[in-house]
Amino acid sequence: MKNYFDLTGQVAVVTGCSTGLGVQMAKALANQGAKIVAIARRKDMIEAVAKEITDTYKVEALAIQCDITDTERVNAAVDEILHRYSYQQCRNRCSCSSRRHYR
């Protein structure tokens, strides 16, 4: 029987990955074998999350500091991800934000 939730060899890009739902989503994806790209503003927190995911789930986890309201930084993060992984490997759990929440 096919395992529809097997993500081995895929890359999951998880934004908002320093706390809360972002961390839980990253752990769930890692539990299914996905490599994780943890993206958030607080570098120390995403580095800790990436280490925990690697240690617990034995998958590769990359921490990228990025404020998703900064278009230039988002473009740089995408370039960094695509430089490291192929386009076909990537999956995205997208978090939406509005600038009004950051004023």
Side-chain angles (χ1 to χ4, degrees):
M1 178 190 277
K2 182 174 173 121
N3 180 355
Y4 290 100
F5 299 105
D6 181 14
L7 298 175
T8 303
Q10 300 297 308
V11 177
V13 177
V14 184
T15 58
C17 197
S18 59
T19 61
L21 290 175
V23 173
Q24 296 308 311
M25 182 63 67
K27 288 178 178 180
L29 293 164
N31 190 50
Q32 297 304 315
K35 299 172 188 172
I36 303 299
V37 177
I39 295 178
R41 292 173 291 157
R42 295 174 283 184
K43 186 172 182 159
D44 58 330
M45 294 184 80
I46 55 172
E47 286 175 345
V49 168
K51 182 179 181 337
E52 178 186 358
I53 287 171
T54 297
D55 292 346
T56 303
Y57 301 100
K58 308 301 184 222
V59 297
E60 184 178 343
L62 173 66
I64 298 178
Q65 182 180 19
C66 179
D67 180 343
I68 64 168
T69 66
D70 181 340
T71 303
E72 288 181 19
R73 187 60 195 117
V74 170
N75 290 335
V78 169
D79 288 343
E80 185 175 346
I81 294 164
L82 293 177
H83 178 75
R84 186 167 184 139
Y85 305 107
S86 73
Y87 179 78
Q88 289 78 19
Q89 289 180 306
C90 294
R91 297 286 184 260
N92 188 19
R93 176 231 172 243
C94 185
S95 82
C96 300
S97 73
S98 170
R99 286 201 180 271
R100 67 187 160 97
H101 294 296
Y102 294 98
R103 290 186 187 166

